[in-house]
């Protein structure tokens, strides 16, 4: 039982709870509310509110026992991407300390390209397969100086011929010298380099004197080697 004081019983609100009205009608109500906000405890006598994120679908995430929760990105146990979208058809790879745990490569490439490693410090990329189709070159005059772009040189051995290899092609370049007439036994092919300054298997020149012979030479950055 509550004993009245001077014939009155006083009803008093506290914190977020207020009492309004007079006479025989009193209204108990909460104050300080905002539409769509989430109410949370703010001690034993009142409540507070947290405004929702402006982006739909963002969850309310705990900030621990000593702070109010907040709308934000939830941390997935064991690791999560943190990404909300990916490029359509892009290949996913592991992330780095400066990216999400998962990232996608920059391009989806074009038809028939292959995914190629760029080493441990870069993302792989789609690249065009290097063609293995060889092309033929027929010299118009002799002596003939081989070009970097030449692959198979067709030598007309109706007379003795001289073929000059370039002195400094790209390392690993392969040239094939071929007697296409079948007269090298009579009209030999002399294979040398421009000025004879680079060796071919240790010599400044090599002689091809077998009919229909082919000679494969590869440049190692310093000299040519017969394969």
């Amino acid at each position: 039982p509550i004993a009245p004081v001077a014939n009155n019983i006083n009803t008093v609100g506290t914190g977020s709870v207020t009492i309004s009205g007079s006479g025989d009608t009193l209204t108990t109500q909460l104050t300080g509310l905002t539409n769509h906000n989430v109410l949370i405890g703010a001690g034993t006598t009142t409540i507070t509110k947290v405004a929702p994120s402006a982006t739909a679908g963002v969850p309310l995430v705990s900030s621990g026992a000593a702070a109010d929760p907040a709308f934000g990105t939830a941390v997935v146990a064991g690791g999560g991407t943190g990404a909300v979208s990916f490029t359509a058809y892009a290949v996913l790879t592991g992330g780095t300390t400066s990216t999400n745990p998962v990232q996608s490569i920059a391009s989806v490439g074009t038809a028939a390209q292959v995914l190629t490693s760029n080493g441990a410090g870069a993302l792989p990329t789609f690249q065009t397969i290097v063609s293995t189709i060889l092309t033929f070159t027929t010299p118009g005059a002799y002596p003939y100086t081989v070009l970097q772009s030449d692959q198979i040189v067709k030598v007309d051995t109706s007379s003795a011929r001289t073929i000059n290899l370039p002195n400094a092609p790209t390392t690993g370049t392969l040239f094939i010298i071929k007697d296409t007439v079948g007269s090298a036994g009579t009209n030999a092919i002399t294979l040398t380099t421009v000025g004879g300054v680079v060796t071919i298997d240790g010599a400044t020149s090599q002689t091809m004197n077998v009919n229909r012979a082919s000679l494969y030479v590869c440049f190692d950055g310093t000299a040519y080697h017969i394969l």
Side-chain angles (χ1 to χ4, degrees):
I2 298 176
V5 176
N7 299 321
N8 291 320
I9 296 176
N10 296 321
T11 303
V12 180
T14 182
S16 300
V17 179
T18 61
I19 307 296
S20 65
S22 61
D24 61 357
T25 302
L26 300 177
T27 302
T28 304
Q29 62 187 11
L30 295 175
T31 61
L33 303 184
T34 302
N35 197 27
H36 308 306
N37 280 20
V38 175
L39 302 182
I40 59 174
T44 58
T45 61
T46 189
I47 57 176
T48 187
K49 58 188 179 293
V50 174
S53 169
T55 303
V58 177
L60 185 64
V61 181
S62 171
S63 298
D68 290 340
F71 286 93
T73 302
V75 177
V76 179
T81 68
V84 296
S85 65
F86 291 99
T87 302
Y89 311 117
V91 174
L92 300 183
T93 72
T96 67
T97 55
S98 61
T99 67
N100 291 318
V102 175
Q103 59 184 326
S104 59
I105 66 173
S107 170
V108 297
T110 57
Q113 287 187 319
V114 296
L115 189 62
T116 305
S117 171
N118 291 310
L123 287 171
T125 54
F126 282 102
Q127 299 179 23
T128 301
I129 299 174
V130 177
S131 174
T132 57
I133 299 175
L134 301 179
T135 59
F136 289 92
T137 298
T138 301
Y142 296 91
Y144 177 70
T145 298
V146 177
L147 303 177
Q148 171 74 56
S149 58
D150 290 339
Q151 294 174 311
I152 303 174
V153 180
K154 300 170 64 178
V155 182
D156 176 1
T157 54
S158 58
S159 297
R161 306 299 189 186
T162 297
I163 302 296
N164 297 315
L165 297 172
N167 289 334
T170 302
T171 298
T173 298
L174 174 70
F175 297 116
I176 303 172
I177 312 302
K178 171 66 178 177
D179 169 17
T180 56
V181 172
S183 300
T186 303
N187 300 310
I189 302 170
T190 300
L191 185 63
T192 185
T193 59
V194 177
V197 296
V198 177
T199 61
I200 306 170
D201 251 17
T204 57
S205 67
Q206 296 288 338
T207 300
M208 296 175 59
N209 54 12
V210 177
N211 292 342
R212 299 291 180 181
S214 297
L215 195 66
Y216 292 62
V217 290
C218 187
F219 188 68
D220 70 356
T222 303
Y224 286 94
H225 299 274
I226 298 174
L227 305 180

